[in-house]
Coordinates of all heavy atoms in Angstrom, one line a residue:
R15 N -279.0 -102.2 -34.1 CA -279.5 -102.8 -35.3 C -279.8 -101.8 -36.4 O -280.1 -102.2 -37.5 CB -280.7 -103.7 -35.0 CG -280.2 -104.9 -34.1 CD -281.4 -105.8 -33.7 NE -282.1 -106.3 -34.9 CZ -283.3 -107.0 -34.7 NH1 -283.7 -107.3 -33.5 NH2 -283.9 -107.4 -35.8
T16 N -279.9 -100.5 -36.0 CA -280.3 -99.5 -37.0 C -279.2 -98.4 -37.2 O -279.6 -97.4 -37.8 CB -281.6 -98.9 -36.6 OG1 -281.5 -98.2 -35.3 CG2 -282.7 -99.9 -36.5
G17 N -278.0 -98.7 -36.8 CA -277.0 -97.7 -37.0 C -276.8 -96.6 -36.0 O -276.2 -95.6 -36.3
G18 N -277.5 -96.7 -34.9 CA -277.4 -95.7 -33.9 C -276.2 -95.9 -33.0 O -275.5 -96.9 -33.0
T19 N -275.9 -94.9 -32.2 CA -274.8 -94.9 -31.3 C -275.3 -94.5 -29.9 O -276.0 -93.6 -29.7 CB -273.7 -93.9 -31.7 OG1 -273.3 -94.1 -33.1 CG2 -272.5 -93.9 -30.8
L20 N -274.8 -95.3 -28.9 CA -275.2 -94.9 -27.5 C -274.7 -93.6 -27.1 O -273.6 -93.1 -27.6 CB -274.6 -96.0 -26.5 CG -275.2 -97.4 -26.7 CD1 -274.4 -98.3 -25.7 CD2 -276.7 -97.4 -26.4
P21 N -275.4 -92.8 -26.3 CA -275.0 -91.5 -25.9 C -273.5 -91.4 -25.4 O -272.8 -90.5 -25.8 CB -276.0 -91.1 -24.8 CG -277.2 -91.8 -25.1 CD -276.7 -93.1 -25.7
K22 N -273.1 -92.4 -24.6 CA -271.8 -92.3 -24.1 C -270.7 -92.5 -25.2 O -269.5 -92.1 -25.0 CB -271.6 -93.4 -23.0 CG -271.6 -94.8 -23.5 CD -271.4 -95.8 -22.4 CE -271.4 -97.2 -22.8 NZ -270.4 -97.6 -23.8
D23 N -271.1 -93.1 -26.3 CA -270.1 -93.4 -27.4 C -270.1 -92.3 -28.5 O -269.4 -92.5 -29.5 CB -270.3 -94.8 -27.9 CG -270.2 -95.8 -26.9 OD1 -269.3 -95.7 -26.0 OD2 -270.9 -96.9 -27.0
R24 N -270.9 -91.3 -28.4 CA -271.1 -90.3 -29.4 C -269.9 -89.3 -29.4 O -269.2 -89.2 -28.4 CB -272.4 -89.6 -29.3 CG -273.6 -90.5 -29.6 CD -274.9 -89.8 -29.3 NE -276.0 -90.8 -29.4 CZ -277.2 -90.7 -28.9 NH1 -277.5 -89.6 -28.3 NH2 -278.1 -91.6 -29.1
H25 N -269.7 -88.7 -30.6 CA -268.7 -87.7 -30.7 C -268.9 -86.6 -29.7 O -270.1 -86.3 -29.4 CB -268.7 -87.1 -32.1 CG -267.6 -86.2 -32.4 ND1 -267.6 -84.9 -32.1 CD2 -266.4 -86.4 -33.0 CE1 -266.5 -84.3 -32.5 NE2 -265.7 -85.2 -33.1
P26 N -267.8 -86.0 -29.1 CA -268.0 -85.0 -28.1 C -268.9 -83.8 -28.5 O -269.7 -83.3 -27.7 CB -266.6 -84.5 -27.9 CG -265.7 -85.6 -28.2 CD -266.4 -86.4 -29.3
S27 N -268.9 -83.4 -29.8 CA -269.8 -82.4 -30.2 C -271.3 -82.7 -30.1 O -272.1 -81.9 -29.7 CB -269.5 -82.0 -31.7 OG -269.7 -83.0 -32.6
R28 N -271.6 -84.0 -30.3 CA -273.0 -84.5 -30.1 C -273.3 -84.5 -28.6 O -274.5 -84.2 -28.3 CB -273.2 -85.8 -30.8 CG -273.1 -85.8 -32.3 CD -273.2 -87.2 -32.9 NE -273.2 -87.2 -34.3 CZ -274.3 -87.1 -35.1 NH1 -275.5 -87.0 -34.6 NH2 -274.1 -87.1 -36.4
I29 N -272.4 -84.9 -27.8 CA -272.6 -85.0 -26.4 C -272.9 -83.6 -25.8 O -273.8 -83.3 -25.0 CB -271.5 -85.7 -25.7 CG1 -271.4 -87.2 -26.1 CG2 -271.6 -85.6 -24.2 CD1 -270.2 -87.9 -25.6
E30 N -272.0 -82.7 -26.3 CA -272.2 -81.3 -25.8 C -273.5 -80.7 -26.3 O -274.2 -79.9 -25.5 CB -271.0 -80.4 -26.4 CG -269.7 -80.8 -25.7 CD -268.5 -80.3 -26.5 OE1 -268.7 -79.5 -27.4 OE2 -267.3 -80.6 -26.1
Y31 N -273.9 -80.9 -27.5 CA -275.2 -80.4 -28.0 C -276.3 -81.0 -27.2 O -277.2 -80.2 -26.8 CB -275.4 -80.7 -29.5 CG -276.6 -80.2 -30.0 CD1 -276.7 -78.8 -30.4 CD2 -277.8 -80.9 -30.1 CE1 -277.9 -78.3 -30.9 CE2 -279.0 -80.4 -30.6 CZ -279.0 -79.1 -31.0 OH -280.2 -78.5 -31.4
R32 N -276.3 -82.3 -26.9 CA -277.4 -82.9 -26.1 C -277.5 -82.2 -24.8 O -278.6 -82.0 -24.2 CB -277.1 -84.4 -26.0 CG -278.1 -85.2 -25.2 CD -277.7 -86.7 -25.2 NE -278.6 -87.5 -24.5 CZ -278.6 -87.8 -23.2 NH1 -277.7 -87.2 -22.4 NH2 -279.5 -88.6 -22.7
A33 N -276.3 -81.9 -24.2 CA -276.3 -81.3 -22.8 C -276.9 -79.9 -22.9 O -277.4 -79.4 -21.8 CB -274.8 -81.2 -22.3
Q34 N -276.9 -79.2 -24.0 CA -277.5 -77.9 -24.1 C -279.0 -78.1 -24.5 O -279.8 -77.3 -24.0 CB -276.8 -77.1 -25.2 CG -275.4 -76.6 -24.8 CD -274.8 -75.7 -25.8 OE1 -275.3 -75.5 -26.9 NE2 -273.6 -75.2 -25.4
E35 N -279.3 -79.0 -25.4 CA -280.6 -79.1 -26.0 C -281.6 -79.6 -25.0 O -282.8 -79.1 -24.9 CB -280.6 -79.9 -27.3 CG -281.9 -80.1 -27.9 CD -282.5 -78.9 -28.5 OE1 -281.9 -77.8 -28.4 OE2 -283.6 -79.0 -29.1
L36 N -281.3 -80.6 -24.2 CA -282.3 -81.2 -23.3 C -282.8 -80.2 -22.3 O -284.0 -80.0 -22.1 CB -281.7 -82.4 -22.6 CG -281.6 -83.7 -23.4 CD1 -280.8 -84.8 -22.7 CD2 -283.0 -84.2 -23.8
P37 N -281.9 -79.4 -21.6 CA -282.4 -78.4 -20.7 C -283.2 -77.3 -21.4 O -284.2 -76.8 -20.8 CB -281.1 -77.8 -20.0 CG -280.1 -78.9 -20.2 CD -280.4 -79.6 -21.5
R38 N -282.8 -76.9 -22.6 CA -283.6 -75.9 -23.3 C -285.0 -76.4 -23.6 O -286.0 -75.7 -23.4 CB -282.9 -75.6 -24.7 CG -281.8 -74.6 -24.6 CD -281.5 -74.0 -26.0 NE -281.1 -75.0 -27.0 CZ -279.9 -75.3 -27.4 NH1 -278.9 -74.6 -26.9 NH2 -279.7 -76.2 -28.4
Q39 N -285.1 -77.6 -24.1 CA -286.4 -78.2 -24.4 C -287.3 -78.3 -23.1 O -288.5 -78.1 -23.2 CB -286.3 -79.5 -25.2 CG -285.7 -79.4 -26.6 CD -286.6 -78.5 -27.5 OE1 -287.8 -78.7 -27.5 NE2 -286.0 -77.6 -28.2
A40 N -286.7 -78.8 -22.1 CA -287.4 -79.0 -20.8 C -287.9 -77.6 -20.3 O -289.1 -77.5 -19.9 CB -286.5 -79.6 -19.8
K41 N -287.1 -76.6 -20.4 CA -287.5 -75.2 -20.0 C -288.7 -74.8 -20.8 O -289.7 -74.2 -20.3 CB -286.4 -74.3 -20.0 CG -286.7 -72.9 -19.5 CD -285.4 -72.1 -19.4 CE -285.7 -70.7 -18.7 NZ -284.5 -69.9 -18.6
K42 N -288.6 -75.0 -22.1 CA -289.6 -74.5 -23.1 C -290.9 -75.2 -22.7 O -292.0 -74.6 -22.9 CB -289.2 -74.9 -24.5 CG -290.1 -74.3 -25.6 CD -289.5 -74.5 -26.9 CE -289.7 -75.8 -27.5 NZ -289.3 -75.9 -28.9
L43 N -290.9 -76.5 -22.3 CA -292.1 -77.3 -22.0 C -292.5 -77.2 -20.6 O -293.5 -77.8 -20.2 CB -291.8 -78.7 -22.4 CG -291.5 -79.0 -23.9 CD1 -290.9 -80.3 -24.1 CD2 -292.8 -78.8 -24.7
G44 N -291.8 -76.5 -19.7 CA -292.2 -76.3 -18.3 C -292.0 -77.6 -17.5 O -292.7 -77.9 -16.6
L45 N -291.0 -78.4 -17.9 CA -290.7 -79.7 -17.2 C -289.4 -79.6 -16.4 O -288.4 -79.0 -17.0 CB -290.6 -80.8 -18.2 CG -291.9 -81.2 -19.0 CD1 -291.6 -82.2 -20.1 CD2 -292.9 -81.8 -18.0
D46 N -289.4 -80.1 -15.2 CA -288.1 -80.2 -14.5 C -287.3 -81.3 -15.2 O -287.8 -82.3 -15.7 CB -288.4 -80.6 -13.0 CG -289.1 -79.6 -12.3 OD1 -288.9 -78.4 -12.6 OD2 -289.9 -79.9 -11.4
L47 N -285.9 -81.1 -15.2 CA -285.1 -82.1 -15.8 C -283.7 -82.1 -15.1 O -283.1 -81.0 -14.9 CB -284.8 -81.8 -17.3 CG -283.8 -82.6 -18.0 CD1 -284.4 -84.0 -18.4 CD2 -283.3 -81.9 -19.3
N48 N -283.2 -83.2 -14.7 CA -281.9 -83.4 -14.2 C -281.1 -84.0 -15.4 O -281.3 -85.2 -15.7 CB -281.9 -84.3 -13.0 CG -280.5 -84.4 -12.4 OD1 -279.5 -84.1 -13.0 ND2 -280.4 -84.9 -11.2

């Protein structure tokens, strides 16, 4: 309803960025992340 796109339907560059960014942020915050 607000113009967003589900993760699985995003452009490959966005999917690749998310795959890098989530672990970086988790490490920075001291949180385990799968």
Side-chain angles (χ1 to χ4, degrees):
R15 293 178 58 185
T16 60
T19 305
L20 293 175
K22 69 180 181 62
D23 298 327
R24 293 174 186 161
H25 187 275
S27 61
R28 292 177 178 268
I29 293 171
E30 291 164 6
Y31 182 80
R32 181 179 182 274
Q34 291 183 351
E35 179 67 0
L36 284 172
R38 277 198 302 256
Q39 291 299 315
K41 186 172 185 179
K42 186 170 84 171
L43 295 164
L45 294 171
D46 293 329
L47 175 79
N48 182 347

